[in-house]
Amino acid sequence: MRGLGRAKRIGVVAGAGALVLAWVLVGCDSVMEAIGESLPTGRAEPCPEGGVRLAEGEGNAAMGLRVADFQLVNCGSAAYVLEGYPEIRLLDGEGRPLQVDIGHGTNGVTASAAGEDGPLQRVTLQPGQAATTGLLWRNLVTDSTVPAVEGRVLELVPKPGAPRLTLRLNTPVDLGDTGKLGLSSWSALAR
């Protein structure tokens, strides 16, 4: 048994050595690409106009009820104040707006109070802090004559008068033919 452990260590060291040698011979970009990684560019993306950046969070599709959350990160140098709900719009893969009934809270997507908002809170984001908002929907097809809707791009206005932010989604909002989406109010992101 002891010989097997030593053989594993030798294999790991040899594999690491081969990776380093390949890195030197063909260049680190090629090796990183081959193993599915990308190198950090050393430069951060510039902060968008308005001082905030939109990011896609985790989603969940348990029991047919789907949720997705989105974070708004203050990448600017001043405090950023949010209150209430963002304004959102879903677009298809070609950038065309989708006809979707977007309502506050659960918007009738579920009868459960789990997605209901409490009293609206004022959220002040200091530089580097984030807030979150969420979407709630069901993927149902109840009428085969109605085309299923799939949002691939989210447009979001964080607060009245703020610039519109656009985010291409990694996970689409697959509404089926329900055309109904619930939206939660802004809340501070717990760290």
Side-chain angles (χ1 to χ4, degrees):
M1 282 290 183
R2 292 185 69 187
L4 182 58
R6 183 176 172 161
K8 283 183 181 179
R9 284 193 301 269
I10 291 170
V12 168
V13 171
L19 183 58
V20 169
L21 180 60
W23 196 316
V24 170
L25 292 176
V26 298
C28 56
D29 290 343
S30 301
V31 173
M32 295 300 282
E33 186 178 298
I35 63 173
E37 296 290 330
S38 60
L39 285 174
T41 61
R43 61 180 188 265
E45 297 236 354
C47 189
E49 177 188 353
V52 290
R53 175 176 287 113
L54 185 61
E56 188 172 358
E58 297 291 317
N60 191 332
M63 298 175 53
L65 185 63
R66 287 161 163 54
V67 294
D69 74 302
F70 300 90
Q71 288 91 44
L72 188 72
V73 180
N74 182 350
C75 56
S77 58
Y80 194 89
V81 179
L82 297 165
E83 190 168 4
Y85 298 87
E87 174 192 318
I88 67 163
R89 183 166 74 160
L90 278 178
L91 310 175
D92 67 11
E94 280 73 51
R96 296 179 299 242
L98 297 172
Q99 293 297 319
V100 179
D101 171 20
I102 301 169
H104 297 166
T106 61
N107 191 29
V109 172
T110 181
S112 167
E116 293 295 331
D117 290 324
L120 297 180
Q121 299 175 6
R122 184 180 180 102
V123 179
T124 302
L125 303 177
Q126 297 303 324
Q129 292 183 328
T132 185
T133 187
L135 303 179
L136 175 74
W137 74 95
R138 289 195 186 276
N139 177 342
L140 296 174
V141 176
T142 57
D143 183 351
S144 62
T145 63
V146 176
V149 171
E150 188 171 82
R152 294 281 181 173
V153 176
L154 176 74
E155 289 187 341
L156 182 143
V157 177
K159 61 183 181 179
R164 182 176 302 274
L165 302 169
T166 302
L167 181 66
R168 181 157 291 278
L169 302 174
N170 293 320
T171 304
V173 175
D174 54 348
L175 290 167
D177 66 2
T178 63
K180 188 175 275 199
L181 191 62
L183 174 67
S184 69
S185 61
W186 287 116
S187 61
L189 184 63
R191 294 196 176 221

